[in-house]
Amino acid sequence: MTESVLGVLASGRGTNLQSIMNAIATGQIKAKIGVVITDKPEAKALDRAREANIQAVCIDRKKCSSKEDFEQKLVAALREYGVNLVILAGFMRLLSPYFVQSFKDRILNIHPSLLPAFGGAHAHRDVLAYGVKVSGCTIHFVDEGMDSGPIILQESVPVLPGDTEDTLAARVLEKEHSLYPRAIALYLDGKLIVNGRQVIIQS
Ligand code: GRF
């Protein structure tokens, strides 16, 4: 059996990356992380990877001549490290069809709202502005659209009176940290069957 090698893409502090590393350490996720890649040199995710002796690479978007150039470098690095499942963990860039096709059906993302509501880069702000009473997080396959691929798992949290973006984000983040490892484990254990938009989870 081929070993499962994850490539984690992140742009920031990397707490979801950390939850995945922890889940690998406990055996919940049976895989290794081949490489962590960020698009920004200051991303704390790089430090987390290095502290865990995981390859950490920055492909600085600002130093790439174009989106194509950036994505070609991303794909090349993921291939170099033998990645067969791409995990977007707070990666704040929309990927083009070229990238999505390069890892077809092998890219997962986490989004901090209950999709299809409140996609995009400001989910918590939009949730509060709209006044919904429930929010949460979603793990989904990545397709060519924004936050639009088939949904694997979701978990809800209440939106409480007086919530700010920070308090809501913290409540959602706590759920994210258990939901993403669960979804990755289901994928790697071969329990997910995708049928159009439906993701069937086998017991
Ligand atoms: C998380 O809320 C995730 O859902 C969103 O970006 C945030 C990343 O946080 N896509 P972290 O870098 O994993 O701490």
Side-chain angles (χ1 to χ4, degrees):
M1 207 179 87
T2 0
E3 186 186 24
S4 298
V5 182
L6 311 184
V8 182
L9 306 192
S11 297
R13 64 196 163 173
T15 65
N16 277 289
L17 164 67
Q18 189 66 54
S19 74
I20 293 162
M21 294 193 300
N22 295 348
I24 290 173
T26 64
Q28 183 190 5
I29 292 177
K30 295 172 195 64
K32 72 167 194 176
I33 298 178
V35 65
V36 170
I37 304 178
T38 73
D39 57 330
K40 294 181 184 148
E42 68 275 15
K44 182 144 193 314
L46 291 169
D47 302 327
R48 291 184 192 270
R50 289 189 192 112
E51 275 159 31
N53 287 319
I54 291 168
Q55 293 292 333
V57 172
C58 173
I59 301 174
D60 192 342
R61 173 64 184 90
K62 289 193 184 133
K63 292 195 176 148
C64 295
S65 57
S66 62
K67 183 172 174 128
E68 290 72 34
D69 177 36
F70 172 67
E71 290 195 352
Q72 279 167 10
K73 290 189 167 106
L74 266 186
V75 169
L78 291 166
R79 294 218 166 112
E80 181 188 338
Y81 288 99
V83 168
N84 42 40
L85 178 63
V86 178
I87 304 294
L88 307 184
F91 188 64
M92 302 309 282
R93 298 209 171 263
L94 184 61
L95 294 161
S96 76
Y98 156 73
F99 185 92
V100 174
Q101 286 302 321
S102 300
F103 288 92
K104 195 168 165 33
D105 302 326
R106 291 182 293 133
I107 310 172
L108 307 186
N109 184 39
I110 185 162
H111 182 77
S113 77
L114 295 176
L115 292 173
F118 307 110
H122 304 286
H124 302 305
R125 189 176 77 191
D126 297 343
V127 160
L128 292 172
Y130 202 91
V132 293
K133 304 294 188 197
V134 177
S135 190
C137 48
T138 303
I139 316 294
H140 64 93
F141 284 99
V142 173
D143 64 9
E144 276 89 354
M146 181 159 78
D147 301 325
S148 60
I151 290 170
I152 302 169
L153 290 176
Q154 293 184 302
E155 192 149 352
S156 62
V157 302
V159 179
L160 299 176
D163 258 341
T164 63
E165 281 186 55
D166 286 349
T167 58
L168 178 59
R171 194 174 308 120
V172 172
L173 194 64
E174 198 185 321
K175 300 290 185 190
E176 294 183 32
H177 291 161
S178 54
L179 202 67
Y180 215 173
R182 261 175 64 207
I184 295 167
L186 286 169
Y187 177 97
L188 294 175
D189 292 344
K191 303 261 173 148
L192 302 181
I193 297 173
V194 185
N195 181 14
R197 282 216 56 85
Q198 319 293 325
V199 178
I200 297 145
I201 300 176
Q202 293 183 306
S203 48

